[in-house]
């Protein structure tokens, strides 16, 4: 049985906009057929498909794949458990901004505005 490399030992993600499935496989230490399988198991993993059904992953996809990989290979989650964990994280509101000092911009405290924007983003994300 092959031992999975911890995420901390994976190569850095290059500053490219799009990655092929082969590149993502190398960057995440996951075989291509596993990536295709995960696309069906994790609704949030949706690479762009272009001509000839070729997949193009973006940086966010690579980060998500690394997160899925860590849940499955390092933390021992089942696929359904990992899927639920990702769903729970997506529906958890971000921590509110409670700075020790007010956030001041042009002489105005914008902390309440930041909190309101965080709330709106959370609602839109759900």
């Amino acid at each position: 049985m092959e031992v999975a490399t911890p995420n901390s030992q994976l190569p850095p993600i290059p500053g490219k906009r799009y990655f092929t499935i082969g590149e993502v496989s190398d960057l995440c230490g996951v075989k291509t057929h596993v990536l295709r399988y995960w696309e069906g198991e994790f609704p949030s993993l949706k690479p762009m498909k272009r001509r000839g059904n070729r997949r193009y992953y973006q940086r966010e996809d690579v980060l998500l794949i690394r997160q899925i990989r860590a849940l499955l290979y390092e933390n021992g989650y089942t696929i359904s458990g990992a899927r639920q964990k990702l769903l729970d994280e997506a529906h958890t509101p971000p921590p509110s901004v409670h700075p020790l000092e007010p956030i001041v911009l042009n002489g105005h405290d914008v902390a309440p505005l930041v909190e309101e924007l965080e709330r709106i983003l959370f609602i839109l994300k759900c």
Side-chain angles (χ1 to χ4, degrees), residues 78-121:
T78 61
I79 291 215
S80 61
R83 184 185 315 116
Q84 188 60 49
K85 172 94 169 146
L86 292 172
L87 284 171
D88 292 347
E89 287 177 1
H91 291 95
T92 301
S96 293
V97 175
H98 293 291
L100 296 175
E101 297 178 22
I103 301 173
V104 179
L105 180 65
N106 294 332
H108 295 45
D109 179 12
V110 294
L113 178 61
V114 171
E115 288 181 7
E116 180 66 13
L117 289 171
E118 285 179 340
R119 189 185 66 74
I120 292 168
L121 286 172

Side-chain angles (χ1 to χ4, degrees), residues 16-69:
K16 294 173 52 173
R17 186 172 182 119
Y18 298 106
F19 301 90
T20 65
I21 193 168
E23 291 171 323
V24 174
S25 173
D26 293 338
L27 288 170
C28 297
V30 177
K31 297 190 182 214
T32 57
H33 68 274
V34 174
L35 292 171
R36 288 189 292 270
Y37 175 72
W38 285 357
E39 287 173 25
E41 295 296 322
F42 296 93
S44 53
L45 182 57
K46 293 278 185 218
M48 291 180 7
K49 290 189 181 173
R50 292 280 170 98
R51 205 172 17 151
N53 231 15
R54 289 181 51 98
R55 292 164 170 80
Y56 290 97
Y57 296 84
Q58 295 185 37
R59 181 178 187 82
E60 297 79 28
D61 298 318
V62 176
L63 293 171
L64 175 60
I65 291 165
R66 286 186 172 189
Q67 186 178 9
I68 292 168
R69 181 186 182 281

Side-chain angles (χ1 to χ4, degrees), residues 70-81:
L71 289 171
L72 296 174
Y73 297 169
E74 295 175 25
N75 299 332
Y77 280 77
T78 61
I79 291 215
S80 61

